[in-house]
Amino acid sequence: MSGNVLKLGIPKGSLQDATAALFEKAGWKIKFSSRSYYPTIDDDEIECLLIRAQEIARYVADGVLDAGLTGKDWVQENRVEVEEIADLVYSKTSDRPVRWVIAVPNDSPINNVKDLQGKRIATEAVNMTIDYLKQHGVTASVEFSWGATEVKPPKLADAIVEITETGSSLRANNLRIIDTIMESNTKFIMNKDSFKDEWKRTKVERIVLMLKGAMAANRKVGIMMNVPRKSMEAVMKILPPNTKPTISSLTDDAWADLMVILEEKLVREIVPDLKKAGAEDIVEFPLNKIIH
Amino acid sequence: MSGNVLKLGIPKGSLQDATAALFEKAGWKIKFSSRSYYPTIDDDEIECLLIRAQEIARYVADGVLDAGLTGKDWVQENRVEVEEIADLVYSKTSDRPVRWVIAVPNDSPINNVKDLQGKRIATEAVNMTIDYLKQHGVTASVEFSWGATEVKPPKLADAIVEITETGSSLRANNLRIIDTIMESNTKFIMNKDSFKDEWKRTKVERIVLMLKGAMAANRKVGIMMNVPRKSMEAVMKILPPNTKPTISSLTDDAWADLMVILEEKLVREIVPDLKKAGAEDIVEFPLNKIIH
Amino acid sequence: MSGNVLKLGIPKGSLQDATAALFEKAGWKIKFSSRSYYPTIDDDEIECLLIRAQEIARYVADGVLDAGLTGKDWVQENRVEVEEIADLVYSKTSDRPVRWVIAVPNDSPINNVKDLQGKRIATEAVNMTIDYLKQHGVTASVEFSWGATEVKPPKLADAIVEITETGSSLRANNLRIIDTIMESNTKFIMNKDSFKDEWKRTKVERIVLMLKGAMAANRKVGIMMNVPRKSMEAVMKILPPNTKPTISSLTDDAWADLMVILEEKLVREIVPDLKKAGAEDIVEFPLNKIIH
Amino acid sequence: MSGNVLKLGIPKGSLQDATAALFEKAGWKIKFSSRSYYPTIDDDEIECLLIRAQEIARYVADGVLDAGLTGKDWVQENRVEVEEIADLVYSKTSDRPVRWVIAVPNDSPINNVKDLQGKRIATEAVNMTIDYLKQHGVTASVEFSWGATEVKPPKLADAIVEITETGSSLRANNLRIIDTIMESNTKFIMNKDSFKDEWKRTKVERIVLMLKGAMAANRKVGIMMNVPRKSMEAVMKILPPNTKPTISSLTDDAWADLMVILEEKLVREIVPDLKKAGAEDIVEFPLNKIIH
Amino acid sequence: MSGNVLKLGIPKGSLQDATAALFEKAGWKIKFSSRSYYPTIDDDEIECLLIRAQEIARYVADGVLDAGLTGKDWVQENRVEVEEIADLVYSKTSDRPVRWVIAVPNDSPINNVKDLQGKRIATEAVNMTIDYLKQHGVTASVEFSWGATEVKPPKLADAIVEITETGSSLRANNLRIIDTIMESNTKFIMNKDSFKDEWKRTKVERIVLMLKGAMAANRKVGIMMNVPRKSMEAVMKILPPNTKPTISSLTDDAWADLMVILEEKLVREIVPDLKKAGAEDIVEFPLNKIIH
Amino acid sequence: MSGNVLKLGIPKGSLQDATAALFEKAGWKIKFSSRSYYPTIDDDEIECLLIRAQEIARYVADGVLDAGLTGKDWVQENRVEVEEIADLVYSKTSDRPVRWVIAVPNDSPINNVKDLQGKRIATEAVNMTIDYLKQHGVTASVEFSWGATEVKPPKLADAIVEITETGSSLRANNLRIIDTIMESNTKFIMNKDSFKDEWKRTKVERIVLMLKGAMAANRKVGIMMNVPRKSMEAVMKILPPNTKPTISSLTDDAWADLMVILEEKLVREIVPDLKKAGAEDIVEFPLNKIIH
């Protein structure tokens, strides 16, 4: 028999507010209290726990949590088995996955993974680094770094394995990347037993459906315009292929109302052309969610 | 003869920003200046005055103000007569009314109002407390508290009468509630003479209509979707009873566009079912106001 | 032959965030970095440079920049020739143009421009002041002020030429205005040669079209309502003349759906009347852009 | 028989940090915790309670506290009897006592206390105001003001009774002072029974002795200088009368070392003269406490 | 042959500012830059490196650093061998050593180390915990905790090993201490080879001498007073035994000047008695350093 | 006949707080108010005016001010004649004078002042730059820069003339220095007529004497120690030559008390040697002022 509460791990720290904002767009309000690690959520079927992304995979694998949001990197670093339900992309700006890279000082003689033999590597991701070196048949001293890893070479380490998005912090510390160990992004993961529980799996699927709806709306907008019936074909050609606009009849038969969902970025490209093709009163409006 | 300016009291302090936000959604922009107690409003027929909620009822009763926003509690504490025009609920999160309760230390022998006989009670609401005790035939020493009332028992008071929403501050100070004196919420009140002035009453009614429209939109969203004509009945069954969707004809006769206003929280419950029933391109969008 | 990058000057300082917000509504994301004066923008055809509004006109005139946003005042102060493409109004609140005025102490014997003969004038706009005095045949000592100009009279100057919106800072320093030198507002300007380059001019026109669309949406909202066919005429009379509502057929032939874009401020005026005329389920929703 | 703990009220709010700083100079460390109203102090014989200055007199009078720091004004407002042990002056800058004054609008016809007959007075000090009016045989409506009292005239009150140090806030609100009700400063007060308890009185006297030593050092500094024996008389004449310098013998009999405690402000006046009179190596050093 | 630069590790984080303040009192100015991990110091013979206390012992043991400041706990957690030169006590308030304790939920059946057999323990100090359990013959699962360890029991751990000073954070999380693993405080440590280098050892000894001088001055003050020769014996009896006051001759032979260094806290106890014994003009002054 | 008020210009901005701190050490309390440009000072003979350092020289030269604190650079930039009374060094850290330098991009072909012929130079110090170029017979376009000058090359300028202390901001912008135009530091300047007024000159001299006394104490400390008479010679040899210690007789004839003022930085060097030579109870104490 199945329980009726889903224990969900929310990542504490840099992703915390973005996670709450995404859930709010999806329809759930998570509230943090400064002293508690049990955020409240307005759904009696969910129980949240706020913990570091580094630890969520471990607790989901153990079954202490049914599900959680964490990076693919920390799943691997913890060397655990979980169900990966969905990829989540949080913000409009950073849709690139982050990368864990090996970096060395610009003037280091180290140029590839083989050159790391016998060297000293500082990293927050010790297991991931050891596994990677083993695959390449390299033995090195891998030391756990409590922070500020990028300032350690060359005095405190020969190389580092560090997370980076744009590489700018590495460059600022005069480091160059010699290899990428893995690309990572946020995952919605489940415990393998919880995944077999129908109630829990269905609950997670509904949450994920809404989260995806909210993410889809992040970069899209609605466009409404009045189009003369005779210009409809010309207007349709300007819209991207595969777009399915909603065309409503108006009382004035010579005109129709066209409503369509578009990538926000596309709007600035096609609006001048739509206008030229005869569309009038073009209005853009914001969306909360899109479920295709 | 009637004047053409409505003097309106805006509560200074914790409700101040929420009040301005509500008025902005309703269509009026109130701007505060750090040094002035006369906020500007973009309506020549309204003159705002920013004062403490505790004092608004008194000034409305006196006729210094025509109308104002304040709590039901402070109307009663000031022991004045005013017209109560409407209840206002400000935020999405705290739709519960607040309560004034009697609280005593967890280990106090006091268990009900009768046990307060001859005791020392600290409160910010002295009149309300005295009236309540009188109703129960109890005599006690009621002292005005300038703040931090909840830390006073047991050294500085035997009991307190204090406002609470969730009770958490009381629990944190090891106090337990023995009775509720009153429930309160924000009211839009009018002076009794101003209420008889037709211009002023009509002005207030229009403001209240818009404020209510803005409040209604706070928890609701718009949903649009394309529905196959043949699935329309199934889709309609999923929507809550009494919902009146707007169904527009599309150029493709096999489909219709359905638009409906729903409780935001309901969306996460029914979207998966709507999709299963055949609805496509389900889009949720935000609203500013809803006037039924 | 035309280049394919538009060099655009963004005004650093008080207008910086409002400029980025306007561009975001228009469809371009500008991101500032605390250490760089080259903001990023998500359009490979634009290269931004963040500089003081005072300097933008000079660099646009020189051709170092193709285009930029700056005040009409600084174009004149720099005494340069540029193409003025469009007026921009940034925010909902301050749609008044700012003014450069001559101000003197309340108790000064100076009452008009003639009285300035031989006096000492402090200002940040030295050229503009000299030009103005020359037009009136007045000679005076005009000194560049590095800031806090309004506190200089009477000790450090006899008069000042200063920018003002509401005059409140002048009043607070016991100054009165004796003349207005110019009214200014933000302009989208282009270099004269860049303007002749078709690619650059077209690019600028498209940007300006979208900026105007975003500005238009700033004060407007969408209104949807269900209207009985028989009440349609009454409802149409309440709407402002020249409004072109979109009227959609509904499945229930006795009703139509009316959608119209209105000044936000008008809504509070007409909604009560619309309701009285028979409209139901009146819903207001926010807009991102309006392209007429 | 006497107890061995002194219950001491520390005023919460504007004086809180200055009080702790004074006690630290005097030799006691008081530490506040953001959640507790029981500050810790490094003296097992003292128990601190942090409450509003307005309430301290009441609790000292009741015996809930043995002693406390509060204003003379709040002792009078609470209409209680306590022992006044010492005046305390906290900071270098504001050694003037504060005043409670009656203020009216600049253009009010009210010019003296008699003119207040039948008027409406807003104040935070209701009892003090009523007592004052009674002494002058005047009857008026005295209303408790929850704050921002100085903005109430002329709309919400005819006059106010308010605390002021420099009068600048009153002037900024276009009010003029028509009378002073009382001058107040901070007092170290004791409960009358506690005062009779020898242990408690002695404890308080020792605390007050050290507080006064710390206050005395606030405006004073130590000065050391080498003085030729033959110039000693000239140097002594420059020092203020009643100064008792410490003159130490040096190994070189022609010189002596003179050390003296002076008002800090005096130093800038006499140092040039001391130098002229023959003093060398004049050194000023800071002091923590001075017990004469 | 010896080098002439001492590589010194400064602990980043909570101790960072206190460390710099202590060095400043001792005579060295360390300046941090927000982007660099190489603080500057005004001594060409010292090179600072700013790293986490957790890592300093490891780098000192390796010889990457000659010396450093870190906790005794982290020396043990890193399982390395270093020379411990001196204990450092930083602040006036927390002179107690911190403790690493085992804590369990208040209602846990675990009461001593033996009960931990087979349990799950979360801690930031994995090695220290494992070594401790081994000494007691206990086997348990010890998991590295990335933070917020005290909220993990009972859901995420059965027990924790955590650092505590007052125990208040543990109590706030409903945990009770069942054993203390170790007491720790800050140590000045040296690499074993650097210790054998005479120049480096001497350099460190001089630094430590000055640091201790600064620490000694932290709780002490200077007291000067004028004492009648005839009262000297009485005054000397009030001073603590083993005090060595400096007694200077005055020009007036009937008096002497007595200067003595005392615990600041003692001053408030003996000043009233000194005064009673005849001492006059008792002055307390602050000290920077005391080298006995 | 002379007036009895000295009008003194205080530099607004980066030096403002340091100036007030220096005056406070010297014996004058300057207080700024957020809205006023007339700081108060506790000396009826001084009237302060808070203005930008760039403008002070101009107003001192004009006689609007009698005296002021500003940089040597701004005296020269304003091309005015004033009396330079004293050099002021404000802080312990930056005792180097600042420099105005010519900087060009690292990869610029410009290598010396001659190469600037016909180039475009951005600077806040236009006159200073023009005068310098004229001395070298170079003609170039010198443009006033409103800020962020260091980011202008190479796009907006070929070279810049900018103020620098350490050169780090220039390096961060990939600029190299090709010449130094001038070194500057803060000066106490007087109007030439005010300088001839005896009262004003004497007043300024007294202020400057005290300012210098405060600056002298900034880097110095007092040291007291007990020295055995027989070790006195050895101790004296360790002290720097030209030191004049105060040696006081003690009641115990075998010992003397030695007091001396030393550079703070020297203390860490000689204290170990003093101890070895027999000195005991070495105490360092802070100073406010030193007038030699």
Side-chain angles (χ1 to χ4, degrees), chain F residues 32-43:
Chain F
F32 304 110
S33 142
S34 64
R35 304 189 208 159
S36 165
Y37 285 80
Y38 296 93
T40 60
I41 187 165
D42 60 346
D43 183 336

Side-chain angles (χ1 to χ4, degrees), chain B residues 180-194:
Chain B
T180 295
I181 289 191
M182 80 171 301
E183 295 198 341
S184 181
N185 67 324
T186 305
K187 299 272 184 191
F188 197 116
I189 59 171
M190 275 192 88
N191 173 273
K192 286 189 164 295
D193 287 335
S194 303

Side-chain angles (χ1 to χ4, degrees), chain B residues 7 12 35-38 47 49-52 54-55 58-59 62 64-65 74 77-78 120 122 124 143-148 150-157 173, chain D residues 7 12 35-38 47 49-52 54-55 58-59 62 64-65 74 77-78 120 122 124 143-148 150-157 173:
Chain B
K7 284 173 285 174
K12 181 173 164 56
R35 303 189 209 158
S36 166
Y37 286 80
Y38 295 92
E47 194 181 292
L49 191 60
L50 184 69
I51 34 180
R52 298 279 294 262
Q54 289 95 324
E55 299 180 324
R58 184 206 299 163
Y59 291 122
D62 284 353
V64 176
L65 298 173
W74 296 115
E77 175 67 15
N78 279 285
R120 198 166 174 177
E124 211 189 348
E143 293 184 345
F144 179 68
S145 171
W146 294 80
E150 71 275 16
V151 304
K152 290 188 171 166
K155 295 206 179 172
L156 308 181
N173 285 285
Chain D
K7 284 173 285 174
K12 181 173 165 55
R35 305 189 208 157
S36 166
Y37 286 80
Y38 295 93
E47 193 180 294
L49 190 60
L50 184 70
I51 35 180
R52 297 280 293 262
Q54 289 94 323
E55 299 180 326
R58 184 206 299 163
Y59 291 123
D62 285 354
V64 176
L65 298 173
W74 296 114
E77 175 66 15
N78 278 285
R120 199 167 173 177
E124 211 189 348
E143 292 184 344
F144 179 68
S145 172
W146 294 79
E150 70 277 14
V151 304
K152 291 189 170 165
K155 297 207 179 173
L156 307 182
N173 284 286

Side-chain angles (χ1 to χ4, degrees), chain D residues 10-11 15-30 32 41 69 86-92 186-188 207-219 288-289, chain E residues 264 268 284:
Chain D
I10 303 294
L15 275 181
Q16 182 174 336
D17 289 336
T19 302
L22 179 64
F23 271 80
E24 177 146 17
K25 284 201 77 171
W28 284 268
K29 286 189 192 57
I30 297 175
F32 303 109
I41 188 165
L69 286 79
D87 287 315
L88 300 180
V89 178
Y90 273 57
S91 70
K92 293 191 182 187
T186 304
K187 299 273 183 191
F188 197 116
I207 296 170
V208 166
L209 180 69
M210 300 311 283
L211 292 174
K212 285 188 167 172
M215 288 187 292
N218 243 0
R219 303 147 174 278
N288 288 345
K289 294 192 193 76
Chain E
E264 189 188 357
R268 72 191 195 201
E284 180 192 309

Side-chain angles (χ1 to χ4, degrees), chain E residues 20-238:
Chain E
L22 179 63
F23 270 80
E24 179 147 14
K25 284 201 77 170
W28 284 267
K29 284 188 192 60
I30 297 175
K31 282 202 291 187
F32 303 109
S33 142
S34 63
R35 304 190 209 158
S36 165
Y37 286 80
Y38 296 93
T40 60
I41 188 166
D42 61 346
D43 184 336
D44 293 341
E45 297 178 348
I46 305 177
E47 193 180 292
C48 291
L49 191 59
L50 184 68
I51 34 180
R52 298 279 293 262
Q54 289 94 325
E55 299 181 326
I56 283 181
R58 185 207 296 163
Y59 291 122
V60 168
D62 285 354
V64 175
L65 297 172
D66 292 310
L69 286 80
T70 187
K72 180 180 157 194
D73 44 5
W74 296 114
V75 175
Q76 187 167 330
E77 175 66 14
N78 279 284
R79 290 171 173 161
V80 292
E81 294 290 317
V82 295
E83 289 292 328
E84 299 188 359
I85 307 299
D87 287 316
L88 301 181
V89 178
Y90 274 58
S91 69
K92 293 191 183 186
T93 55
S94 68
D95 43 349
R96 285 183 289 195
V98 294
R99 292 177 300 150
W100 285 87
V101 299
I102 310 177
V104 298
N106 282 331
D107 56 4
S108 164
I110 300 172
N111 286 315
N112 56 55
V113 57
K114 295 297 181 193
D115 296 340
L116 292 171
Q117 181 65 36
K119 299 297 181 189
R120 201 166 172 176
I121 306 174
T123 183
E124 211 189 348
V126 170
N127 289 339
M128 215 188 294
T129 303
I130 288 172
D131 292 350
Y132 168 85
L133 292 173
K134 192 181 285 177
Q135 286 163 27
H136 290 79
V138 171
T139 312
S141 161
V142 181
E143 293 185 344
F144 179 69
S145 171
W146 294 79
T149 312
E150 71 276 15
V151 304
K152 291 189 169 165
K155 296 206 179 173
L156 307 182
D158 299 307
I160 65 171
V161 170
E162 181 62 327
I163 200 165
T164 188
E165 201 170 336
T166 63
S168 66
S169 173
L170 296 173
R171 276 192 302 275
N173 284 286
N174 297 311
L175 300 175
R176 67 183 151 83
I177 295 172
I178 60 165
D179 203 358
T180 294
I181 289 192
M182 80 170 300
E183 295 198 340
S184 181
N185 66 326
T186 305
K187 299 273 185 190
F188 197 117
I189 59 171
M190 276 193 86
N191 172 272
K192 287 192 163 293
D193 287 335
S194 302
F195 184 72
K196 288 174 196 149
D197 176 314
E198 177 155 349
W199 182 88
K200 290 185 181 175
R201 195 181 60 250
T202 305
K203 182 74 189 175
V204 162
E205 282 166 1
R206 293 175 78 104
I207 296 170
V208 165
L209 180 69
M210 300 310 283
L211 291 174
K212 286 187 168 173
M215 289 187 292
N218 243 0
R219 302 149 176 277
K220 295 195 173 173
V221 292
I223 300 283
M224 283 187 292
M225 67 195 86
N226 288 338
V227 181
R229 290 279 179 190
K230 63 180 164 47
S231 311
M232 188 59 80
E233 199 177 355
V235 162
M236 291 296 286
K237 274 186 188 149
I238 295 166

